[in-house]
């Protein structure tokens, strides 16, 4: 069970969360979440999850691998945040975590009780809608907040009209 959302209380605001996962469709999710946040005077949280890797190397190698993964995550997030600032005009919150994406999403939702909606975009590849959409869809009613899933065929203009 998820903690009660605080986004409607005084001093709080509803936040939309999008996951930056390197898929082409994640940009659509970020665009929609950012537009919804701006149009509703809400906030935008961008989450990047460094996959659980085989960091069980020698201590020095493990530290180097983790540092490289963190540098890559920070670069990707800086680019995503810059794009949001330039195209939408809001300043997103940046969160970087390591582990399983569904577990980290749930953990962040539990910790930040202003996060009220998760926005994802489904891919149209023959392999399916994408790993994150598939993982969360398989959980069904167990997911703690509403999830908005966008088709990846929408243009930015269509997204703007919907948001």
């Amino acid at each position: 069970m998820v903690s009660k959302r605080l986004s409607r209380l005084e001093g709080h605001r509803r936040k939309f969360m999008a996951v930056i996962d390197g898929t082409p469709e994640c940009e659509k999710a970020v665009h929609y979440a950012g537009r919804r946040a701006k149009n509703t005077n809400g906030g935008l949280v961008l989450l990047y999850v460094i996959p659980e890797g085989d960091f069980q190397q020698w201590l020095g190698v493990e530290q180097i691998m983790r540092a490289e993964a963190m540098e890559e995550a920070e670069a990707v997030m800086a680019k995503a945040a810059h794009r949001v600032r330039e195209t939408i005009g809001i300043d997103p919150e940046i969160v970087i975590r390591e582990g399983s994406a569904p577990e980290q999403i749930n953990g962040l939702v539990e910790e930040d009780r202003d996060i009220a909606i998760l926005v994802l975009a489904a891919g149209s590849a023959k392999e399916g809608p994408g790993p994150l959409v598939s993982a969360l869809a398989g959980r069904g009613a167990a997911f703690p907040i509403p999830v908005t899933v966008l088709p990846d065929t929408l243009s930015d203009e269509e997204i703007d009209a919907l948001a």
Side-chain angles (χ1 to χ4, degrees):
M1 188 168 125
V2 71
S3 299
K4 181 180 175 185
R5 302 289 90 194
L6 302 177
S7 57
R8 294 292 184 193
L9 300 178
E10 187 175 333
H12 295 268
R13 65 183 181 157
R14 179 173 58 174
K15 294 179 184 176
F16 294 82
M17 180 168 65
V19 180
I20 306 295
D21 61 2
T23 60
E25 60 269 14
C26 82
E27 287 186 22
K28 302 242 184 241
V30 170
H31 188 83
Y32 179 82
R35 284 286 180 211
R36 289 282 296 141
K38 184 173 183 171
N39 292 344
T40 62
N41 199 29
L44 173 62
V45 177
L46 300 179
L47 172 65
Y48 185 99
V49 180
I50 298 170
E52 293 176 308
D54 186 17
F55 292 130
Q56 305 302 318
Q57 309 292 329
W58 295 306
L59 186 58
V61 174
E62 176 184 347
Q63 289 173 342
I64 291 169
M65 290 173 69
R66 276 205 160 97
E68 288 173 351
M70 183 57 77
E71 284 178 21
E72 178 184 344
E74 289 170 347
V76 167
M77 293 303 271
K79 183 179 175 183
H82 177 74
R83 184 170 188 260
V84 167
R85 284 185 207 102
E86 292 295 313
T87 61
I88 300 171
I90 62 172
D91 195 25
E93 294 178 40
I94 303 296
V95 179
I96 299 172
R97 296 199 169 180
E98 181 182 319
S100 155
E103 288 175 13
Q104 295 306 318
I105 291 168
N106 280 329
L108 184 55
V109 167
E110 185 61 30
E111 291 166 27
D112 187 341
R113 294 171 52 194
D114 287 339
I115 297 173
I117 298 174
L118 172 62
V119 179
L120 302 173
S124 58
K126 61 183 173 190
E127 296 84 31
L132 195 50
V133 172
S134 296
L136 294 177
R139 298 189 66 194
F143 200 71
I145 60 173
V147 179
T148 299
V149 180
L150 301 171
D152 75 340
T153 57
L154 294 175
S155 68
D156 284 349
E157 294 78 23
E158 291 170 320
I159 290 171
D160 291 345
L162 292 170

